[in-house]
């Protein structure tokens, strides 16, 4: 029993070190051509907001940014690496990614 | 491809995790699927073993995750249910693939989303939901140095304000639309019970940050060029402008009823009607968590466990959990009364305020319609890519329209699916 608990604690500690290492890693991408650097694990929607760019333009031309952060409102849909209509809040940034407002 | 399971659980939040772990540990072939790439649902979004401590009841996640891992349950992450083409069959999609799953028991644990209400300026960049702002910050958005107004309704306001402050934001105020009298019974009962610990903690942290929390207060409009720069707040009857970088505004939660509706489950007062074993009106379909009434994490875990035992045929075990569930349901009912929406909020949108953000349909256009049918005939309200998930709750509150009928696909993700939809929409609008 005790050894099982020790093993569980060790696993949790190892995972936390891994997560910290991951978060320390930087990812480079472009948003509307602007180079942006974010921590690993950052969503595309967060990166676009930090770049100060709108995620999309509405049918009457209003600039829009993420609203719900959870995949429901579709305000964060963008063109990612040429693929249209990706929900930025459900997508993690990756090195070399090209993100475009839609 | 077609897969076959004894039990399929949709939604890997607390409710779904508990249901799947219990059923699989008892020897059933179980599949737990979620559209998100990670486990945890809303409350534990983005959680990991190393970060569990910074989440509400993170320890519970670690324990349930261990039970799930040991149970032999199959976990499909990044898959969402888009249709239920016939009895005991689901169609699910990932980014790249579509599959069918046959089931004997289905347990729905699809959770809740925020309710949004329109007011002038709510479409400006920088205006987010309350849970929305929390989710964005959890997924990497830098809050340090941001001046944030938190407003709307519900217990989330406090928790999120405290979280944002901790992440380095300056909270310019927390504004709850409910009256003090309306909220008092809830606050008292909550402080005495388990979830009260969370509220207490959040209040304490806010006090230490010197953040004002006001009842009877709501945002009347947001203003700014290109992004929100200030909001006008009605505070206990007086109006005041507050400069800010972000407005986090949401009006409590509403259950995600699309799937239960598509399957034909009976819905009563905005929630799925279930019996003591969590079974809905449709045979073989159980519902747990926020779907049966907004009650939070512990209710979800508890109901998940009940549905898990019910699926394996151990009714005695399921019913032994009934008394705790009854208390949680009472808590949920008190919460609903505490955060009931005030009528003044119906008068916030002006003629030109956009209600349907997908298609930019204004309040003036919609207020003239009888209901969804007419609205869809004259505008494209509710037919845009959110499929009425945002404007639906607003239209219900503002105009008293009933729910939009659920039609498959419940949730288009695949580019091909979306492109096909846009295509049809384009043709229809021509
Ligand atoms: C934005 C937001 C923030 C919240 N923050 C907190 C908080 O800080 N503290 C707190 O105590 N409570 C919070 N809550 C309340 C939360 O609802 C409950 O605490 C708890 O998460 C409910 O558990 P659940 O199992 O019912 O559903 P959820 O945890 O909501 O899980 C539902 C899961 O179902 C999945 N899903 C939905 N539809 C489909 C589909 N068609 N196909 C596949 N998967 C699907 C979703 O991706 C989600 O992961 C929050 C709620 C929201 C909406
Ligand atoms: S922000 Fe709402 S779907 Fe991404």
């Amino acid at each position: 029993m005790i050894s099982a608990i020790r093993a569980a604690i060790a696993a949790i500690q190892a995972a936390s070190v891994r997560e910290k290492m991951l978060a320390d890693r930087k990812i480079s991408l472009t948003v509307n051509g602007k180079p942006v650097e974010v921590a690993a694990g950052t969503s595309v929607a967060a990166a676009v907001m930090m770049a100060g760019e709108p995620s999309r333009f509405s049918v009457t031309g209003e600039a829009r940014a993420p609203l719900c952060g959870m995949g429901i409102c579709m305000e964060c849909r963008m063109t990612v690496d040429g693929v249209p209509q990706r929900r930025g809040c459900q997508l993690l940034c990756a090195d070399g990614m090209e993100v475009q407002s839609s | 491809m077609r897969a076959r399971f004894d039990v399929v659980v949709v939604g890997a939040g607390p409710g779904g995790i508990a249901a799947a772990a219990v059923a699989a540990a008892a020897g059933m072939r179980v599949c737990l699927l979620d559209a998100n790439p990670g486990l945890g649902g809303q409350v534990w979004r983005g959680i990991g073993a190393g970060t569990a401590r910074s989440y509400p009841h993170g320890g519970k996640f670690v324990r349930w995750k261990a039970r799930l891992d040991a149970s032999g349950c199959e976990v499909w992450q990044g898959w969402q249910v888009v249709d239920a083409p016939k009895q005991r069959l689901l169609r699910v999609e990932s980014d790249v693939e579509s599959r069918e799953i046959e089931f004997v028991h289905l347990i729905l644990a699809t959770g809740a989303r925020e309710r949004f209400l329109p007011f002038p300026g709510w479409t400006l960049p920088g205006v987010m939901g309350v849970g929305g702002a929390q989710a964005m910050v959890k997924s990497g958005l830098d809050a340090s140095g941001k001046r944030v107004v938190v407003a709307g309704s519900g217990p989330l306001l406090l928790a999120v304000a405290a979280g944002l402050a901790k992440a380095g934001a300056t909270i310019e105020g927390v504004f709850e639309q409910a009256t003090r009298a309306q909220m008092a019974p809830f606050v008292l009962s909550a402080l005495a019970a388990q979830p009260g610990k969370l509220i207490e903690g959040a209040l304490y942290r806010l006090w230490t940050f010197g953040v004002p929390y006001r009842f009877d207060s709501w945002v009347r409009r947001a203003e700014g060029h290109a992004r929100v720069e200030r909001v006008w707040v009605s505070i206990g009857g007086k109006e005041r402008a507050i400069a800010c970088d972000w407005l986090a505004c949401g009006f409590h939660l509403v259950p995600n009823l699309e799937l239960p509706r598509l399957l034909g489950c009976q819905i009563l007062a905005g929630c799925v009607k279930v019996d003591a074993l969590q079974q809905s009106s449709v045979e073989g379909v159980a519902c747990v968590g926020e779907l049966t009434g907004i009650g939070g994490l512990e209710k979800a875990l508890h109901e998940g466990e009940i549905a898990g035992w019910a699926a394996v045929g151990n009714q005695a075990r399921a019913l032994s959990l009934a008394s705790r569930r009854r208390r949680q349901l009472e808590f949920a009912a008190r919460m609903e009364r505490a955060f009931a929406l005030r009528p003044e909020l119906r008068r916030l949108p002006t003629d030109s305020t956009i209600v349907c953000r997908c298609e930019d349909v204004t309040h003036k256009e919609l207020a003239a319609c009888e209901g969804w049918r007419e609205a869809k005939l004259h505008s494209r309200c509710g037919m845009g890519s959110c499929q009425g998930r945002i404007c639906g709750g607003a239209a219900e509150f503002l105009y008293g329209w009933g729910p939009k009928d659920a039609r498959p696909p419940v949730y288009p993700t695949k580019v091909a699916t979306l492109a096909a939809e846009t295509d049809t929409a384009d043709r229809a609008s021509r």
Side-chain angles (χ1 to χ4, degrees):
Chain A
M1 182 65 194
I2 290 178
S3 68
I5 293 174
R6 280 218 189 96
I9 292 174
I12 289 171
Q13 281 168 346
S16 108
V17 170
R18 255 198 320 277
E19 272 166 32
K20 183 150 176 14
M21 275 165 52
L22 273 177
D24 286 345
R25 213 164 61 76
K26 289 283 177 218
I27 303 262
S28 303
L29 66 159
T30 63
V31 178
N32 292 339
K34 247 195 219 177
V36 182
E37 206 174 62
V38 297
T42 301
S43 73
V44 170
V48 167
M49 270 192 83
M50 289 190 282
E53 294 288 308
S55 47
R56 71 175 195 104
F57 292 92
S58 76
V59 295
T60 59
E62 284 187 1
R64 295 282 170 82
L67 174 74
C68 73
M70 56 179 279
I72 286 193
C73 70
M74 305 284 169
E75 287 288 17
C76 66
R77 57 192 195 270
M78 286 170 279
T79 303
V80 178
D81 291 337
V83 182
Q85 309 265 20
R86 300 299 307 269
R87 276 176 291 171
C89 68
Q90 303 299 93
L91 195 64
L92 294 183
C93 293
D95 266 317
M97 205 178 233
E98 290 176 12
V99 180
Q100 214 83 45
S101 304
S102 67
Chain B
M1 188 194 123
R2 187 178 281 200
R4 200 175 272 124
F5 290 94
D6 301 323
V7 182
V8 172
V9 182
V10 184
I17 292 176
V22 166
M28 295 246 155
R29 246 176 75 68
V30 182
C31 174
L32 170 63
L33 61 89
D34 197 301
N36 274 329
L39 290 180
Q42 293 304 339
V43 56
W44 290 328
R45 175 180 287 262
I47 198 172
T51 53
R53 248 196 266 187
S54 60
Y55 284 82
H57 294 281
K60 285 208 173 110
F61 172 79
V62 175
R63 283 196 296 282
W64 274 105
K65 170 77 167 51
R67 275 178 79 170
L68 184 71
D69 289 345
S71 72
C73 175
E74 258 189 53
V75 181
W76 294 14
Q77 289 166 10
W79 288 86
Q80 45 191 308
V81 178
V82 294
D83 197 5
K86 57 179 200 216
Q87 259 202 338
R88 304 197 188 261
L89 188 70
L90 294 176
R91 195 157 66 80
V92 301
E93 279 184 5
S94 75
D95 261 358
V96 290
E97 201 192 328
S98 160
R99 291 182 186 169
E100 285 181 333
I101 311 184
E102 276 177 42
F103 61 85
V104 183
H105 301 278
L106 177 64
I107 302 176
L108 299 179
T110 53
R113 57 170 172 263
E114 270 186 281
R115 174 168 25 217
F116 290 99
L117 296 181
F119 51 87
W122 77 301
T123 56
L124 284 169
V127 178
M128 289 175 265
V130 173
Q134 180 190 45
M136 291 293 292
V137 169
K138 275 187 192 166
S139 65
L141 181 63
D142 186 6
S144 55
K146 298 288 181 205
R147 298 162 305 163
V148 187
V149 170
V150 180
S153 201
L156 217 52
L157 264 53
L158 278 174
V160 172
L164 291 174
K166 203 170 152 204
T170 305
I171 308 298
E172 299 291 341
V174 182
F175 302 106
E176 165 63 58
Q177 57 90 32
T179 63
R180 187 185 293 264
Q182 193 181 327
M183 274 189 65
F186 168 73
V187 172
L188 287 179
S189 74
L191 287 179
Q194 253 302 316
K197 299 282 176 294
L198 290 176
I199 296 178
E200 211 175 343
L203 269 174
Y204 176 73
R205 257 175 288 154
L206 283 180
W207 280 330
T208 55
F209 281 109
V211 173
Y213 178 76
R214 302 295 303 263
F215 300 103
D216 262 317
S217 306
W218 62 92
V219 171
R220 297 182 59 103
R221 61 182 192 279
E223 294 174 347
H225 296 288
R227 62 167 190 84
V228 62
E229 289 164 21
R230 83 195 68 78
V231 296
W232 290 86
V233 190
S234 168
I235 305 172
K238 289 200 195 77
E239 199 163 312
R240 184 153 74 89
I242 301 176
C244 61
D245 302 304
W246 296 347
L247 166 62
C249 186
F251 295 85
H252 204 28
L253 305 174
V254 284
N256 292 318
L257 294 172
E258 285 75 14
L259 261 185
R261 234 180 223 131
L262 185 70
L263 286 152
C265 302
Q266 191 191 345
I267 290 168
L268 210 67
C271 307
V272 183
K273 189 169 175 272
V274 291
D275 65 14
L277 295 171
Q278 302 299 135
Q279 308 303 304
S280 75
S281 63
V282 177
E283 207 201 317
V285 180
C287 291
V288 304
E290 305 290 48
L291 285 181
T292 70
I294 303 298
L297 167 64
E298 309 216 23
K299 170 173 170 288
L301 278 173
H302 210 71
E303 293 191 345
E305 239 180 303
I306 294 176
W309 287 119
V312 304
N314 192 339
Q315 295 208 355
R317 200 60 197 266
L319 291 173
S320 72
L321 300 166
S323 70
R324 243 166 75 200
R325 173 164 180 262
R326 205 161 36 243
R327 281 200 301 280
Q328 284 157 343
L329 285 176
E330 284 162 10
F331 174 77
R334 269 198 301 275
M335 184 148 79
E336 195 189 320
R337 283 193 295 274
F339 298 110
L341 298 177
R342 61 196 307 135
E344 286 95 328
L345 301 174
R346 288 205 179 87
R347 298 194 287 273
L348 292 181
T350 63
D351 278 356
S352 61
T353 304
I354 284 170
V355 174
C356 163
R357 301 171 66 114
C358 294
E359 301 290 334
D360 287 1
V361 187
T362 61
H363 175 55
K364 186 179 180 184
E365 289 170 82
L366 292 177
C369 297
E370 287 279 322
W372 281 112
R373 259 178 63 91
E374 203 187 335
K376 286 191 217 164
L377 222 58
H378 293 299
S379 68
R380 293 194 16 87
C381 182
M383 295 163 79
S385 46
C386 91
Q387 296 185 315
R389 281 182 175 73
I390 302 297
C391 58
E396 207 175 322
F397 177 68
L398 291 177
Y399 316 123
W401 297 355
K404 249 188 102 238
D405 39 314
R407 60 176 175 109
V410 170
Y411 227 131
T413 39
K414 275 205 306 185
V415 175
T417 322
L418 271 174
E421 280 247 315
T422 324
D423 226 42
T424 353
D426 282 352
R427 261 181 278 123
S429 63
R430 256 175 234 143

